[in-house]
Amino acid sequence: MAKQYVMINDIIEEHNARMYNLRKYYPFFVLSETAFTQYRDGRYNSLDMGYITMAVLRFFIEENNFNERDITYPQCEAFIKELLIRDFDIEIEDEDMADLILYIFDKIRNDGKAFEFTFYDPGKKQKKTGRVRLIDSRITDGKVLYYITADGIEFYLDTKEIKDESKINVEQVLLEKMITGENFKGGIEVVKRINSEVNRLVREKDDIVDLLSYDVFAGAEAYEKYMKTVGKWFSEEQKLFAKNKALVDKAVAKANFDHLTKGSTLLDEISQLELELKKTILKHGNLINSTMELQNISDNIIQKAKLKRLRPVFDFEKELQKMIREDRPDKMGMILAPLFAPAITKSFSMTSIDNLLTLKSEDEAKMVTAKKEDVNANFRYEDEIEEERSGRNYGKLFFELMDVLARWKKLSLKEFNGFLEIRFGKEIYENADYYAFLTHLAQKKEYDISRMLKKQDTMLEKLVVDSIREYQKVRDSIGEQQIPQATADSISTVSVPDIYSEDAYAPDISFEPYKDMRFTLTFDSTEEIPVGADMYVTNIIFELQ
């Protein structure tokens, strides 16, 4: 009976951790099932998405971790093109090849979204979602750079060998065996994998800092797990490095002695292995510094979070003793006056915001079994509705900017605001999407509409293209004259309404007249223009190229 209890307890307690460990494999199997039958009438059905995914990950590891540089899309495009020609004998026109590569790359990136793996947590009796990305991107100096994530590196390394408590220690033991067996070329690959694992740990440290910035509890848990993992092998690593370095020195001496029989190739391999080991030692030093930095950052964030959760309490007894010492009984009136005042309005402490997401009433705490017939297949979450609304607003604002630029060639943000006031009224400044649009628009200094239609680099570009295409699709299906206009009643239930002007806004929204447009943004920090009441933004000069 006791053994059965232990077994059941292990099943329940360990299931959550096992599912989170499995999530890094989920994108590969989703991509492996990706068939090309729906793409271009199945013309490229012979392509193997699983093989292409592994090849692309290996390419990113080589560039990001071994060569320590980020990758632009043209570099990745060139690699995939070479792979398709070499391994699948794909010979097509350049334009078709570019479209095929973009389709493959977007699939691997999941269109910029994380892969979501849903599983059941028996401990909490609820569904949970694990999210994982293989390839991510960031914008630096106006350029979009791509890099492999820590989960992507861990997945790729795990596909070759089973991960132990410390992968680096396992690699060190493997390196020792290869040096002893004089397989120096294989030893070089092992050292490169060690460097890749160290880089993954450093990258994981950055992910933990990001997690701590918005979820202290989850970040603290990830921090404890990270420190436990890293701390296990620090002391043992030093011994293994010293042992392997000594083996390399012996190999160098031996190779110098009998290089006449084995040739100079062996010396070159040993020298390269020695150089890689020196790089590894430096990287481990950087990892130690990163770990110490993470400890300081986490301590500060956790301490601040603890202080924020302390509720301020007025000490009446202390204040009474102070009034007695100062002989100021008149202060008693200041303390008691609020207690006699009528409670006209209700209020709550700002510190109660911390409990809003976790606090449940008795009715909400009760478990409710959902009936199958009560499930709405068309249900959408509020954030999905909000994203659609903001996308429509972004599309209309971007369309207005293209339309005005096509006629004026050059205008300032102040002039553009004037057009918006004519179109939508001064209520445009009360719409939060207007300010969000300007913030997203300022991420890039140049917009090429033809390139944007093929590949969207930012979230704004994707939302704009999707919304305008969706609008055009609806317009073509129901006819231009039947498109409904928004009224006050139709937008009153939304906290941030759609941007409409019932009489002025033309329903014909399309990229067709502006598909060859290219314009730049120049920021004039010397001039600030007013928008709405008590609001100022930096002026922007839009110029058609």
Side-chain angles (χ1 to χ4, degrees):
M1 192 69 181
K3 290 183 179 179
Q4 185 178 3
Y5 173 80
V6 172
M7 180 191 70
I8 295 174
N9 186 65
D10 288 346
I11 292 173
I12 296 174
E13 294 296 326
E14 296 177 3
H15 181 75
N16 196 38
R18 292 183 186 279
M19 292 299 103
Y20 269 109
N21 186 47
L22 282 174
R23 67 185 173 85
K24 61 178 175 285
Y25 301 96
Y26 178 71
F28 173 78
F29 293 104
V30 172
L31 293 170
S32 296
E33 294 177 356
T34 300
F36 291 85
T37 53
Q38 303 298 326
Y39 181 76
R40 300 290 176 91
D41 299 326
R43 194 186 310 171
Y44 309 105
N45 200 29
S46 61
L47 297 179
D48 186 344
M49 196 63 178
Y51 171 76
I52 296 173
T53 300
M54 298 302 291
V56 170
L57 292 180
R58 180 64 179 86
F59 170 71
F60 271 83
I61 289 175
E62 180 71 25
E63 295 298 318
N64 290 164
N65 299 91
F66 294 162
N67 299 329
E68 299 183 346
R69 62 190 178 199
D70 289 327
I71 299 173
T72 60
Y73 178 75
Q75 292 173 319
C76 188
E77 183 182 31
F79 172 80
I80 299 177
K81 181 179 180 180
E82 181 182 358
L83 180 145
L84 294 176
I85 295 174
R86 182 188 66 242
D87 299 332
F88 296 97
D89 299 325
I90 300 295
E91 296 288 346
I92 53 179
E93 297 291 334
D94 290 343
E95 185 175 355
D96 292 337
M97 178 67 80
D99 292 340
L100 175 61
I101 293 172
L102 180 61
Y103 175 83
I104 293 172
F105 189 65
D106 284 342
K107 286 292 183 182
I108 296 175
R109 291 183 59 245
N110 197 29
D111 295 323
K113 299 178 292 185
F115 291 90
E116 294 187 348
F117 172 60
T118 304
F119 61 94
Y120 179 73
D121 185 354
K124 296 183 178 180
K125 296 184 177 181
Q126 63 182 22
K127 291 282 188 178
K128 283 191 174 182
T129 301
R131 294 176 174 83
V132 59
R133 298 174 188 265
L134 298 179
I135 304 296
D136 209 345
S137 64
R138 60 171 168 264
I139 297 178
T140 304
D141 297 331
K143 294 173 60 179
V144 181
L145 301 177
Y146 299 95
Y147 61 92
I148 188 170
T149 63
D151 288 328
I153 295 174
E154 186 176 7
F155 159 72
Y156 184 85
L157 293 176
D158 280 358
T159 56
K160 192 167 185 178
E161 59 185 61
I162 298 174
K163 185 175 180 181
D164 204 339
E165 287 185 350
S166 172
K167 173 175 279 294
I168 298 179
N169 284 343
V170 173
E171 300 281 14
Q172 284 277 23
V173 174
L174 180 60
L175 175 62
E176 179 185 347
K177 292 181 179 179
M178 287 191 170
I179 296 175
T180 305
E182 296 188 357
N183 183 6
F184 301 109
K185 189 173 182 180
I188 294 171
E189 290 299 321
V190 172
V191 175
K192 286 184 177 181
R193 292 213 303 269
I194 292 175
N195 289 339
S196 180
E197 179 68 11
V198 173
N199 287 337
R200 185 191 69 80
L201 289 172
V202 173
R203 196 185 298 271
E204 186 178 343
K205 166 253 179 184
D206 296 333
D207 293 340
I208 293 174
V209 173
D210 292 338
L211 184 59
L212 282 167
S213 64
Y214 61 84
D215 191 339
V216 177
F217 295 103
E221 184 179 348
Y223 163 74
E224 291 294 336
K225 182 179 177 182
Y226 177 84
M227 294 299 292
K228 185 178 180 181
T229 301
V230 174
K232 279 184 178 180
W233 54 264
F234 264 145
S235 58
E236 188 177 351
E237 277 293 289
Q238 189 174 2
K239 298 176 183 177
L240 289 172
F241 268 128
K243 187 176 182 180
N244 286 330
K245 187 67 171 63
L247 288 172
V248 171
D249 292 338
K250 288 182 181 180
V252 171
K254 184 179 179 182
N256 286 328
F257 179 74
D258 58 0
H259 72 278
L260 294 176
T261 59
K262 295 189 177 180
S264 60
T265 304
L266 187 62
L267 267 176
D268 293 339
E269 291 178 355
I270 296 173
S271 299
Q272 186 177 355
L273 176 59
E274 186 178 23
L275 179 62
E276 291 294 335
L277 269 178
K278 290 179 180 178
K279 291 181 181 178
T280 304
I281 294 173
L282 291 175
K283 286 182 179 293
H284 275 70
N286 293 334
L287 177 60
I288 293 173
N289 293 334
S290 297
T291 304
M292 296 175 63
E293 182 184 359
L294 174 62
Q295 185 175 6
N296 294 332
I297 293 174
S298 63
D299 288 345
N300 290 334
I301 293 177
I302 293 173
Q303 181 65 21
K304 289 180 180 178
K306 288 180 179 178
L307 292 175
K308 286 182 179 179
R309 295 183 66 85
L310 293 177
R311 298 187 178 184
V313 178
F314 186 80
D315 192 339
F316 285 91
E317 184 176 355
K318 183 178 179 181
E319 195 64 27
L320 177 61
Q321 295 298 327
K322 184 179 179 181
M323 285 188 291
I324 293 174
R325 287 195 307 269
E326 295 178 356
D327 194 17
R328 290 287 306 275
D330 57 298
K331 286 187 176 181
M332 187 69 71
M334 298 172 60
I335 298 174
L336 296 178
L339 301 179
F340 292 104
I344 300 175
T345 59
K346 294 183 178 180
S347 63
F348 69 98
S349 172
M350 295 300 291
T351 57
S352 299
I353 296 177
D354 295 337
N355 303 324
L356 290 179
L357 296 177
T358 58
L359 184 62
K360 292 184 178 180
S361 65
E362 293 183 1
D363 293 337
E364 291 174 334
K366 294 179 181 178
M367 183 180 297
V368 178
T369 303
K371 296 182 180 179
K372 188 174 182 180
E373 58 269 21
D374 294 337
V375 177
N376 183 6
N378 298 321
F379 174 77
R380 292 185 301 165
Y381 290 98
E382 291 185 6
D383 58 342
E384 294 175 334
I385 298 174
E386 288 293 308
E387 184 176 349
E388 290 180 6
R389 175 197 50 71
S390 60
R392 291 194 299 270
N393 286 347
Y394 295 161
K396 294 164 190 173
L397 290 171
F398 199 89
F399 174 80
E400 288 295 332
L401 180 59
M402 293 189 299
D403 185 54
V404 176
L405 271 176
R407 289 182 279 124
W408 282 61
K409 313 302 181 186
K410 182 179 180 180
L411 76 157
S412 65
L413 178 59
K414 185 175 182 180
E415 294 168 332
F416 181 52
N417 285 343
F419 283 101
L420 294 181
E421 287 183 18
I422 295 173
R423 287 287 197 191
F424 311 112
K426 290 191 176 182
E427 291 81 3
I428 184 71
Y429 302 123
E430 299 176 5
N431 194 301
D433 287 338
Y434 164 76
Y435 302 99
F437 172 76
L438 292 181
T439 302
H440 288 299
L441 188 69
Q443 288 183 343
K444 295 181 65 176
K445 296 182 179 179
E446 181 177 328
Y447 287 86
D448 189 332
I449 304 303
S450 61
R451 184 178 183 278
M452 190 174 82
L453 291 173
K454 295 180 180 179
K455 182 177 182 296
Q456 297 84 47
D457 294 332
T458 63
M459 183 186 74
L460 174 67
E461 291 182 345
K462 180 170 178 55
L463 290 174
V464 167
V465 171
D466 290 347
S467 65
I468 293 183
R469 284 176 175 171
E470 183 65 23
Y471 189 94
Q472 194 68 24
K473 188 187 302 182
V474 174
R475 178 178 176 273
D476 294 340
S477 64
I478 66 176
E480 180 178 335
Q481 300 301 323
Q482 300 180 26
I483 293 179
Q485 297 289 345
T487 63
D489 294 335
S490 65
I491 64 177
S492 61
T493 58
V494 185
S495 58
V496 183
D498 278 350
I499 299 174
Y500 279 105
S501 179
E502 204 167 321
D503 300 321
Y505 196 79
D508 189 10
I509 300 178
S510 172
F511 276 116
E512 189 62 30
Y514 316 107
K515 62 182 180 181
D516 297 324
M517 176 180 287
R518 184 166 63 91
F519 64 90
T520 59
L521 282 71
T522 305
F523 302 94
D524 186 4
S525 58
T526 61
E527 182 182 3
E528 291 185 344
I529 59 175
V531 289
D534 301 327
M535 181 75 71
Y536 295 87
V537 297
T538 301
N539 193 20
I540 305 175
I541 306 299
F542 305 96
E543 186 170 2
L544 192 65
Q545 298 298 308

